[in-house]
């Protein structure tokens, strides 16, 4: 079966009146569950039917249970809408069961005298690692991305650096949307897996994403970079943070995740 490009998936999402549905093909799975970034995109589609046409400022996600491929449904409702910001809840559901819970904050721009943007640091890699897609070994969804580690290394290489810097792109046609940004921001695996030499199960528990620009349409889908750091690892729980940079070093998103590694 031919893989389904991300932009084609977006055209297949049916969304109206606080609900969204998408029939997800197997090439977007991550083991036995749907790629977490795509879970968030389906929820975001439901949110956008009830949220104002304001930029997404923050997205908080809790992954509760595996989301299988096939038909995926999300429901959204407004929690509170004020003068400048609107909080919207979305749930990926299987009947009455919630599989993924998220809260998005949409906010209009405000006048402010304070302005600060992160500056992208430069790296001179001593060695780089391309991530190949190996059917049955590498998670299915990774075939839609181009990834090259310039600091750290892919999972199961025995590399004990707590930092990863990954040059990233999507195998898709533009324009870049907020959904593309959400998907790219969730590409990175737990850095702890790089410490290991044999595969073990791993999963995300929570994910927080903060978006910085208000429009992404001018950004190409190549030339992105993720700078990530594992800040703590204990009792099988992993804490890591990231900055997602767009082409030419444009700061696009800040993220933080809590993960579990079974090994």
């Amino acid at each position: 079966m031919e893989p389904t490009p991300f932009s084609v998936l977006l055209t297949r999402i049916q969304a109206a009146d606080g609900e969204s549905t998408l029939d997800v093909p197997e090439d977007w799975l991550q083991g036995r569950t749907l790629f977490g970034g795509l879970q968030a995109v389906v929820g975001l589609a439901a949110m956008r039917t009830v949220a104002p046409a304001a930029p997404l400022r923050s997205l908080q996600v809790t992954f509760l249970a595996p989301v299988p491929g096939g038909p995926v449904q999300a429901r959204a409702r407004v929690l509170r809408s004020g003068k400048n910001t609107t909080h919207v809840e979305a749930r990926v559901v299987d009947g009455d069961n919630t599989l993924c819970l998220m809260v998005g904050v949409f906010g209009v721009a405000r006048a402010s005298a304070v302005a600060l943007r992160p500056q992208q640091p430069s790296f001179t890699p001593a060695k780089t690692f391309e991530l190949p897609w190996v059917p049955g070994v590498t998670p299915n969804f990774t075939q839609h991305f181009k990834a090259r580690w310039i600091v750290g290394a892919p999972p199961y290489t025995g590399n004990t650096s707590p930092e990863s810097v990954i040059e990233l792109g999507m195998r898709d046609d533009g324009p870049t949307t907020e959904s593309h940004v959400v998907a790219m921001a969730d590409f990175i695996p737990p850095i702890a897996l790089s410490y290991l030499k044999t595969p073990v199960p791993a999963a995300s528990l929570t994910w927080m994403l903060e978006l910085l620009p208000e429009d992404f349409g001018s950004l190409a889908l190549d030339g992105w970079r993720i700078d990530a750091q594992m800040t703590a690892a204990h009792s099988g729980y992993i804490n890591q943070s990231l900055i997602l940079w767009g082409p030419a070093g444009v700061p696009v998103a800040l993220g933080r995740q809590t993960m579990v590694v079974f090994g």
Side-chain angles (χ1 to χ4, degrees):
M1 181 181 295
E2 287 293 319
T4 307
F6 190 73
S7 57
V8 173
L9 272 188
L10 295 182
T11 65
R12 295 178 181 175
I13 296 177
Q14 302 294 314
D17 302 324
E19 294 191 359
S20 64
T21 57
L22 175 64
D23 193 0
V24 177
E26 288 190 0
D27 55 292
W28 281 97
L29 295 183
Q30 182 176 358
R32 65 193 182 105
T33 189
L34 177 61
F35 166 51
L38 188 52
Q39 293 184 42
V41 165
V42 175
L44 181 57
M47 289 181 181
R48 277 298 184 189
T49 69
V50 297
L56 176 65
R57 303 292 177 175
S58 174
L59 185 66
Q60 301 169 48
V61 184
T62 298
F63 300 102
L64 300 172
V67 178
V72 175
Q73 181 182 22
R75 300 177 186 140
R77 66 187 181 101
V78 175
L79 298 175
R80 183 182 184 277
S81 186
K83 180 180 178 182
N84 294 298
T85 59
T86 299
H87 293 69
V88 182
E89 174 195 273
R91 295 171 182 257
V92 176
V93 296
D94 178 13
D96 293 331
N97 296 322
T98 299
L99 308 180
C100 177
L101 172 65
M102 60 195 80
V103 175
V105 181
F106 303 84
V108 299
R110 313 173 189 226
S112 176
V114 181
L116 176 66
R117 293 282 181 172
Q119 299 297 310
Q120 186 184 65
S122 60
F123 292 96
T124 303
K127 187 176 182 179
T128 62
F129 299 85
E130 300 277 350
L131 180 68
W133 181 61
V134 181
V137 178
T138 315
N140 287 2
F141 81 92
T142 60
Q143 66 188 288
H144 296 283
F145 295 84
K146 296 175 283 184
R148 184 169 75 111
W149 270 253
I150 61 174
V151 174
Y156 317 124
T157 53
N159 186 298
T160 57
S161 170
E163 297 183 349
S164 286
V165 177
I166 305 171
E167 293 179 341
L168 187 66
M170 286 194 77
R171 303 183 191 278
D172 192 21
D173 298 324
T176 301
T177 67
E178 67 181 7
S179 294
H180 285 89
V181 172
V182 168
M184 283 191 281
D186 195 42
F187 169 82
I188 185 170
I191 294 175
L193 295 182
S194 301
Y195 280 51
L196 307 177
K197 294 185 178 180
T198 56
V200 301
S204 290
L205 292 178
T206 64
W207 178 36
M208 182 174 69
L209 190 65
E210 299 169 354
L211 279 68
L212 304 179
E214 297 175 356
D215 181 72
F216 313 100
S218 63
L219 301 177
L221 287 171
D222 235 338
W224 292 67
R225 198 177 94 183
I226 293 178
D227 295 7
Q229 182 176 44
M230 183 172 67
T231 52
H234 58 93
S235 304
Y237 293 87
I238 310 302
N239 307 93
Q240 69 184 49
S241 59
L242 66 85
I243 299 180
L244 176 66
W245 310 92
V250 175
V252 173
L254 310 176
R256 187 156 188 87
Q257 281 183 284
T258 301
M259 305 167 170
V260 289
V261 171
F262 300 94

